[in-house]
């Protein structure tokens, strides 16, 4: 009897140590925010446009409703998803303005909003290629857009749907936040996983207008 007991104890000891090790190795695997983004669901892959520059971007969903993204980022002419989003306005990162965005998110919960993590898109994205760049636009890295918004202390704003609403389409807003206190609240789990968020990124908030 005794040897068997000690064998069994040895076995449970082994399996216990294994379970303790697993989360550690998982954390090690994710070296940066791009790798963390790969663990989330891809919601959009395309170009963010500002003035004469375009920035290949992937957006992965952090929370909220994928239906909002599919509904508001629709290309009416093709029926597919838009591949280009043009930032036409800026929102200063002042507390009253941020409170307004928070209020709209709360109003839109649970299925009238989405929060996404935007990172530099690579050609190995969803389609395996970059979206086609329009003539006159210069392709640049997302970090250039991030540093521009940081410098302006502002978020980029896009009215949706692009080209205006037709008939009974729902309307909404997209806010592109550079790293700031407001955006970090949505990246707590990434921060826990990675320890620090060194890579340039943005947090995208999409809210549907409530009737």
């Amino acid at each position: 009897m005794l040897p068997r007991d000690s064998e069994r104890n040895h076995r449970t000891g082994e399996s216990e140590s294994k379970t303790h090790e697993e989360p550690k190795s998982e954390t090690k695997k994710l070296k940066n925010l791009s790798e963390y983004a790969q663990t989330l669901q891809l919601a959009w892959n395309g170009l963010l446009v500002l003035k004469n520059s375009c920035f290949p971007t992937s957006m992965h969903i952090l929370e909220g409703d994928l239906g909002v993204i599919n509904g508001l980022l629709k290309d009416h002419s093709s029926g597919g998803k838009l591949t280009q989003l043009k930032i036409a306005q800026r929102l200063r990162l002042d507390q009253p303005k941020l409170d307004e965005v928070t209020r709209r998110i709360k109003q839109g919960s649970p299925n009238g909003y989405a929060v996404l993590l935007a990172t530099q898109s690579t050609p190995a994205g969803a389609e395996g290629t970059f979206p086609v760049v329009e003539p006159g636009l210069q392709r640049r890295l997302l970090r250039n857009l991030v540093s521009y918004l940081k410098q302006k202390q502002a978020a980029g704003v896009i009215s949706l749907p692009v080209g205006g609403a037709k008939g009974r389409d729902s309307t909404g807003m997209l806010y592109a936040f550079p790293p700031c206190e407001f955006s970090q609240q949505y990246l707590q789990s990434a921060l826990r996983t990675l320890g620090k968020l060194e890579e340039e990124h943005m947090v995208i908030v999409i809210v549907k207008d409530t009737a």
Side-chain angles (χ1 to χ4, degrees), residues 82-96:
L82 288 166
T83 54
Q84 195 169 293
L85 289 169
K86 191 170 187 149
I87 295 171
Q89 297 159 278
R90 291 200 306 261
L91 174 89
R92 276 195 67 75
L93 299 176
D94 296 336
Q95 204 50 54

Side-chain angles (χ1 to χ4, degrees), residues 40-108:
L40 307 168
Q41 185 180 356
L42 179 71
W44 189 80
N45 199 40
L47 298 168
L48 283 177
V49 177
L50 179 74
K51 297 175 182 166
N52 300 323
S53 301
C54 63
F55 309 89
T57 308
S58 292
M59 296 186 198
H60 291 80
I61 193 155
L62 288 163
E63 61 177 75
D65 188 354
L66 194 60
V68 173
I69 302 158
N70 294 338
L72 289 173
L73 300 185
K74 197 187 279 171
D75 182 344
H76 288 290
S77 51
S78 72
K81 255 189 208 169
L82 288 166
T83 54
Q84 195 169 293
L85 289 169
K86 191 170 187 149
I87 295 171
Q89 297 159 278
R90 291 200 306 261
L91 174 89
R92 276 195 67 75
L93 299 176
D94 296 336
Q95 204 50 54
K97 301 254 176 35
L98 297 175
D99 290 345
E100 175 63 14
V101 176
T102 305
R103 189 184 65 76
R104 292 190 68 174
I105 290 171
K106 285 205 176 96
Q107 235 177 0

Side-chain angles (χ1 to χ4, degrees), residues 4-155:
R4 259 193 220 140
D5 273 355
S6 64
E7 260 173 48
R8 195 165 57 237
N9 288 349
H10 183 62
R11 265 206 294 278
T12 52
E14 251 178 40
S15 62
E16 262 172 31
S17 68
K18 265 188 201 140
T19 51
H20 286 315
E21 277 162 28
E22 266 168 30
K24 258 189 230 156
S25 61
E26 227 169 79
T27 324
K28 257 185 229 151
K29 263 186 260 169
L30 300 173
K31 290 189 210 64
N32 54 37
L33 211 48
S34 291
E35 289 186 9
Y36 177 79
Q38 299 308 316
T39 66
L40 307 168
Q41 185 180 356
L42 179 71
W44 189 80
N45 199 40
L47 298 168
L48 283 177
V49 177
L50 179 74
K51 297 175 182 166
N52 300 323
S53 301
C54 63
F55 309 89
T57 308
S58 292
M59 296 186 198
H60 291 80
I61 193 155
L62 288 163
E63 61 177 75
D65 188 354
L66 194 60
V68 173
I69 302 158
N70 294 338
L72 289 173
L73 300 185
K74 197 187 279 171
D75 182 344
H76 288 290
S77 51
S78 72
K81 255 189 208 169
L82 288 166
T83 54
Q84 195 169 293
L85 289 169
K86 191 170 187 149
I87 295 171
Q89 297 159 278
R90 291 200 306 261
L91 174 89
R92 276 195 67 75
L93 299 176
D94 296 336
Q95 204 50 54
K97 301 254 176 35
L98 297 175
D99 290 345
E100 175 63 14
V101 176
T102 305
R103 189 184 65 76
R104 292 190 68 174
I105 290 171
K106 285 205 176 96
Q107 235 177 0
S109 299
N111 43 19
Y113 85 108
V115 179
L116 306 126
L117 169 61
T119 51
Q120 174 67 44
S121 177
T122 56
E127 280 75 46
T129 54
F130 278 132
V132 178
V133 173
E134 278 180 19
L137 284 180
Q138 186 192 354
R139 181 184 291 158
R140 299 176 69 195
L141 292 173
L142 184 67
R143 67 164 184 253
N144 294 306
L145 176 58
V146 174
S147 55
Y148 171 82
L149 289 171
K150 265 190 198 163
Q151 185 195 333
K152 295 286 182 193
Q153 293 188 310

